[in-house]
Amino acid sequence: MPEAIFIRHGHTESTIEGIKGRSDVSLSEEGMKEMLMTGLLLSTQTSLPDRIVASPLIRARQSAQIINSVYKNSLPMEVSEDVNELDVGDWTGKAKALAFQEYEENWQAMHAESFESAQKRIVRELERLGQTGSKKIIVLSHSILMTLLYAMLPKTEGLPEMIPMMNGCGFVVSLEPVFQVTALFPDGILEEMKEMHLV
């Protein structure tokens, strides 16, 4: 069964306060270490990935390159605009967090992308990934887009309705017969989140 592992990029080096949106910032040293650890975790799984897809933003592409460096034979890498972060427009650098109700009511006035538009493009990407012939694809993306995706997809029993999108972590999406969140990444992260009262 083909699947995509959506992973949030590593911690960034940025002077931007609050939401970074599509600001193109690089990984910090901490973020590089996070991505190396993520790559090592991925490389220990029984079935290895056969492709990496990244958002066009530098922090996602750097994360993909670091993960790819773990593999003896480099995986094919590609960039997809459809896994780019939500374009939050005038909220960039201003808000510390995104109030979803306020966003829904004001996205046009703030020159931002609608949730509907972002959801359409991520579904388009899932459809494309399902047609590549790959069995396991690593997707390096961003917190708000991943939150929208996680919220809209059905989940296997036992998974929470929502999770925090932490750097180097994410979730697994089955690409057939239906799009569904089947697990969190890495294994055991759900128990850690429960201990920290995050879910």
Side-chain angles (χ1 to χ4, degrees):
M1 182 187 309
E3 61 184 23
I5 307 173
F6 278 79
I7 298 171
R8 186 184 177 197
H9 61 78
H11 183 267
T12 57
E13 190 76 67
S14 174
T15 57
I16 297 170
E17 294 291 324
I19 298 170
K20 293 174 183 62
R22 290 193 177 179
S23 301
D24 222 357
V25 294
S26 298
L27 292 182
S28 63
E29 190 172 326
E30 176 189 348
M32 291 178 188
K33 289 176 183 173
E34 286 169 345
M35 289 300 99
L36 184 58
M37 290 302 300
T38 299
L40 291 169
L41 278 171
L42 286 163
S43 70
T44 63
Q45 293 187 345
T46 46
S47 64
L48 296 179
D50 48 16
R51 179 185 301 265
I52 300 180
V53 175
S55 151
L57 297 182
I58 289 172
R59 56 193 183 266
R61 288 186 286 119
Q62 285 178 318
S63 296
Q65 289 163 354
I66 292 169
I67 288 173
N68 206 4
S69 72
V70 170
Y71 295 96
K72 185 176 178 183
N73 298 316
S74 289
L75 304 174
M77 281 183 52
E78 59 188 278
V79 171
S80 172
E81 180 63 40
D82 284 339
V83 297
N84 201 349
E85 180 60 293
L86 182 73
D87 184 351
V88 297
D90 295 342
W91 272 290
T92 303
K94 294 178 184 169
K96 294 236 183 257
L98 200 62
F100 280 68
Q101 183 65 34
E102 180 188 357
Y103 191 96
E104 283 276 60
E105 293 168 0
N106 298 292
W107 65 270
Q108 284 180 304
M110 296 297 280
H111 309 102
E113 178 184 19
S114 69
F115 289 154
E116 182 182 3
S117 169
Q119 289 169 330
K120 281 182 180 176
R121 66 180 165 86
I122 195 63
V123 167
R124 182 172 63 227
E125 181 65 5
L126 291 176
E127 290 169 347
R128 187 189 75 83
L129 293 176
Q131 296 168 0
T132 61
S134 295
K135 292 297 180 193
K136 183 182 283 191
I137 305 159
I138 301 168
V139 181
L140 274 301
S141 192
H142 306 273
S143 61
I144 302 172
L145 188 74
M146 288 174 59
T147 298
L148 289 174
L149 178 60
Y150 188 91
M152 71 183 273
L153 290 182
K155 295 152 199 68
T156 56
E157 191 174 337
L159 290 180
E161 285 303 304
M162 187 46 64
I163 58 170
M165 298 299 163
M166 300 183 291
N167 298 108
C169 299
F171 51 89
V172 180
V173 176
S174 169
L175 299 175
E176 63 178 41
V178 295
F179 302 140
Q180 181 178 26
V181 179
T182 57
L184 301 187
F185 175 85
D187 292 338
I189 192 71
L190 181 57
E191 286 67 33
E192 289 180 29
M193 288 178 181
K194 286 177 178 174
E195 285 176 17
M196 297 166 67
H197 304 288
L198 296 176
V199 292

